[in-house]
Amino acid sequence: MKVDLTVLAIPGFIAAMAAEYAWQSRNPAEGERAGDYEFADTMASLSMGVGSLVAPYVADTLLAPVTPRTGRYAKALMGLSLAAAAAATVGDVVRRTRATGLLRAGALPSRVSSSLSSRAPLSSQPPLSGRAKGNDDDEVLTSDPDPVPGTAQVPPALRRITGGSAVTSLASAVVTVSTLWSAQTAGKRLFRLSPLDLGTGPLAYAVAILGWDFIYYWNHRFDHESRWLWAMHVVHHSSERYNLSTALRQPVAEALTIYVPYGLLSLLGVRPALVQDARAINLIYQFWVHTEVIRSIGPFERVFNSPAHHRVHHGSNREYLDRNHGSILILWDRLFGTFEPEGQKVVYGLTTNIDTFNPARIASHEWIAIARDVFRSETWKDRVGYLVRGPGWAGARRA
């Protein structure tokens, strides 16, 4: 079995972090720098890095039985999704029917009536950017007040059943869609369908590396524009520090997302093994740009991603949100309008930080937030919106 190049690079990662730490020790700053190492933060990043290496193997084992067309429990999972969707829809109808009856009878609670009259329409609220969202993960799913007319008169049990069914339906659909997409777009499968074979020479590697980098730009951009993908990617942005250990704070839930498939490269004749090498080269390149020690690489920054460009990407400053998505090349950002040069001092982390070093919460907090929003929603339009639309949309809708 071929060894992943990122695994072979681990000693180099450790040596580079040790060198960065040594440089910081020899060049202390007045006060604390965002680039300095902090033990709990570094341990969280390292644990997420280890988790990202283990997660694919665990995901393959857990998700294989529910993968459509091949998994023995796939039909059962799809049936669960449809049954839960039907239960939530029936609950919605009953809830709306009761609310309509109460409105006609003039029984709308004064508390709800006054809150509705004082609420500004959503269209008047300014849109939020990709990372501008609230963070109230510690709330339980059933603690929501009654923001919809008549829901105060709906039995709590009905609201719990409806909300729980909606969450179950969408969660099952996420697993079904992501596993099916992954299986159908796998590089090995698409390579078998392709009449092309570029071999293993320089041209094949060039197509693999450049092609991966181009697809990566769009997938990374979509990570910030769809909450489903952001729930996976937010892990990488969760640290308020910025040093080489931050590069290792990698997602562990990529198996539950859908992407522009890198397997498309195999349709062009790139062998799957080369596609995996291109992935590793891309990931290894990204490691060194997570530092404050290197301020600039001069004229090369016109073409290549650099620490300065990637510091912007990790900034929670409003003008830095959702910018500089490139990995090896910054040309994609310049071509497609997402480039932002480094200007004012970068504030790292999320627009609302989660204030934890617990790897389990780092990995799951946005999924929990999505489940909470889906649970509280009254329509399928909103439920699907909370999953697939942008984090900013969710924050504005929730406001």
Side-chain angles (χ1 to χ4, degrees), residues 192-382:
R192 288 195 299 268
L193 298 176
S194 175
L196 304 174
D197 184 354
L198 297 180
T200 58
L203 175 63
Y205 268 99
V207 172
I209 294 170
L210 187 64
W212 184 283
D213 201 61
F214 177 71
I215 295 174
Y216 177 89
Y217 165 81
W218 287 106
N219 284 332
H220 194 184
R221 182 169 175 172
F222 295 151
D223 281 340
H224 289 251
E225 295 177 353
S226 170
R227 200 176 179 203
W228 180 357
L229 303 182
W230 175 246
M232 176 274 301
H233 183 63
V234 67
V235 169
H236 187 60
H237 286 269
S238 59
S239 177
E240 296 175 57
R241 302 276 174 168
Y242 193 77
N243 52 53
L244 292 174
S245 73
T246 308
L248 305 181
R249 190 177 286 223
Q250 292 295 317
V252 296
E254 287 184 300
L256 296 178
T257 53
I258 57 173
Y259 274 139
V260 178
Y262 294 99
L264 290 176
L265 296 173
S266 293
L267 283 178
L268 299 177
V270 179
R271 296 181 181 182
L274 269 63
V275 174
Q276 289 307 306
D277 284 347
R279 168 193 171 275
I281 290 169
N282 196 277
L283 196 59
I284 291 169
Y285 184 92
Q286 291 181 57
F287 175 77
W288 78 278
V289 299
H290 292 82
T291 184
E292 289 201 320
V293 173
I294 300 173
R295 301 310 302 176
S296 173
I297 59 172
F300 292 104
E301 290 185 343
R302 292 184 176 276
V303 177
F304 295 99
N305 192 19
S306 70
H309 296 329
H310 204 62
R311 284 192 291 269
V312 166
H313 180 73
H314 275 259
S316 62
N317 317 55
R318 179 166 289 273
E319 64 270 31
Y320 290 163
L321 295 178
D322 308 333
R323 315 300 286 179
N324 298 0
H325 302 294
S327 177
I328 296 176
L329 300 178
I330 202 67
L331 285 176
W332 313 125
D333 289 283
R334 294 184 185 276
L335 286 173
F336 300 114
T338 53
F339 176 72
E340 183 70 30
E342 185 177 31
Q344 68 168 293
K345 182 178 176 61
V346 180
V347 178
Y348 300 105
L350 307 175
T351 54
T352 303
N353 288 305
I354 55 177
D355 299 323
T356 182
F357 300 115
N358 184 334
R361 190 173 174 217
I362 292 171
S364 64
H365 75 276
E366 188 66 17
W367 294 105
I368 293 171
I370 291 174
R372 183 181 59 248
D373 288 336
V374 169
F375 184 95
R376 295 172 174 175
S377 297
E378 304 290 333
T379 67
W380 279 107
K381 181 179 180 181
D382 276 358

Side-chain angles (χ1 to χ4, degrees), residues 120-129 132 318 391-399:
L122 287 173
S123 60
S124 68
Q125 297 174 1
L128 299 177
S129 60
R318 179 166 289 273
W393 179 89
R397 187 66 172 163
R398 196 187 305 118

Side-chain angles (χ1 to χ4, degrees), residues 380-396:
W380 279 107
K381 181 179 180 181
D382 276 358
R383 289 167 187 148
V384 174
Y386 277 125
L387 177 66
V388 302
R389 298 189 68 169
W393 179 89

Side-chain angles (χ1 to χ4, degrees), residues 63 67-68 171-185 228 253-259 367:
L63 298 178
T67 300
S172 303
V174 162
V175 174
T176 297
V177 171
S178 58
T179 53
L180 177 62
W181 183 255
S182 177
Q184 294 303 304
T185 61
W228 180 357
E254 287 184 300
L256 296 178
T257 53
I258 57 173
Y259 274 139
W367 294 105

